[in-house]
Amino acid sequence: GRMGCKFIWGEVKHLDGEDRIATIKPMFSEKRQTIDFDFCIIAAGCNFGVFHKWGESLWFPTIHEEARPEGSWAHLDERFLEGRRRHILEEYSALAELAKKKASVLVVGAGFIGVEWITELEHFFNGLQLTIIDALPNCLGPLPARAANYCSRYMKKHSIKEFYNLKYSAKDMEFYKGIGIEGGPDKEYVCIGVKASNYFMPTETL
């Protein structure tokens, strides 16, 4: 085009900053290719699963070649719209089954993602026993107090249990007992923090 930009549909596998070379695997090709550069802007975004090796979470598709086989939905290719659609349908069906059983669900993190998610679960999947926790003193920590108070009132009204000033302790039965989920929840969603999505960079920079 007029800007002189070339688009390559593929995945960066390695970035050599010293020699200014990027190794790329184009889509639908088993062979890798290299391109050289004078300047490199990395705008790869982030993932939201801070406790997973690859940052896996529902809020971002699993797209890296090495991450897919080690993920929880390796049978789906979320690089494509159909794979993402199928994943959403699978999650919906699983939640519908949990709702039928009146299962317990714990959402870790009461930021805007966690609050939005747990209130949507309450709205669309009647019967779930819902609990949300956060290490901060209230939900929606970075937002104005009026917003936090509004959301807290909404959650109380809809029987969503809230626990604050509480650090998440995975698989700790005493922790679960302390928030009223004896034996642990049937389902957990972790909605805290971010993780870099730039695994192609030299390990010493990560």
Side-chain angles (χ1 to χ4, degrees):
R2 291 182 298 172
M3 296 181 65
C5 294
K6 179 181 180 182
F7 174 74
I8 300 174
W9 186 13
E11 180 179 345
V12 177
K13 305 297 292 183
H14 179 69
L15 193 66
D16 185 339
E18 189 172 336
D19 291 329
R20 299 181 181 179
I21 292 174
T23 302
I24 298 169
K25 184 178 180 184
M27 190 65 72
F28 308 119
S29 174
E30 291 301 317
K31 294 182 179 180
R32 300 183 182 188
Q33 67 182 57
T34 59
I35 61 171
D36 61 278
F37 58 83
D38 293 315
F39 299 95
C40 178
I41 298 173
I42 299 170
C46 62
N47 294 329
F48 299 98
V50 292
F51 300 121
H52 190 275
K53 175 183 176 181
W54 297 98
E56 175 187 275
S57 78
L58 293 177
W59 327 121
F60 192 85
T62 301
I63 57 174
H64 294 98
E65 185 176 38
E66 282 82 7
R68 292 199 306 276
E70 299 182 23
S72 305
W73 38 85
H75 60 293
L76 299 171
D77 190 345
E78 294 189 287
R79 296 175 300 171
F80 300 97
L81 183 61
E82 180 61 16
R84 189 65 172 158
R85 186 185 73 85
R86 286 182 178 273
H87 187 188
I88 292 169
L89 289 174
E90 285 185 10
E91 193 67 28
Y92 178 89
S93 298
L95 283 165
E97 288 301 312
L98 288 172
K100 289 179 185 177
K101 301 173 184 176
K102 299 190 181 300
S104 58
V105 176
L106 173 64
V107 172
V108 180
F112 74 92
I113 291 178
V115 170
E116 180 181 25
W117 183 237
I118 203 166
T119 51
E120 286 187 351
L121 291 178
E122 186 277 328
H123 183 79
F124 291 106
F125 298 96
N126 187 38
L128 292 175
Q129 308 303 307
L130 300 167
T131 302
I132 189 167
I133 69 163
D134 201 285
L136 293 176
N138 52 264
C139 66
L140 302 177
L143 298 183
R146 288 179 62 186
N149 292 336
Y150 169 82
C151 287
S152 187
R153 288 197 305 270
Y154 179 94
M155 289 190 285
K156 283 184 176 67
K157 181 179 178 181
H158 291 85
S159 302
I160 297 171
K161 296 177 183 177
E162 302 169 82
F163 292 88
Y164 301 113
N165 288 312
L166 186 63
K167 187 176 180 181
Y168 174 58
S169 183
K171 298 180 173 57
D172 182 344
M173 292 303 114
E174 286 300 312
F175 164 76
Y176 293 130
K177 184 178 179 181
I179 57 174
I181 309 177
E182 194 84 35
D186 297 299
K187 181 72 174 179
E188 284 186 349
Y189 293 98
V190 177
C191 306
I192 54 175
V194 294
K195 196 167 188 175
S197 186
N198 53 357
Y199 308 104
F200 49 83
M201 293 179 64
T203 53
E204 63 269 19
T205 67
L206 300 177

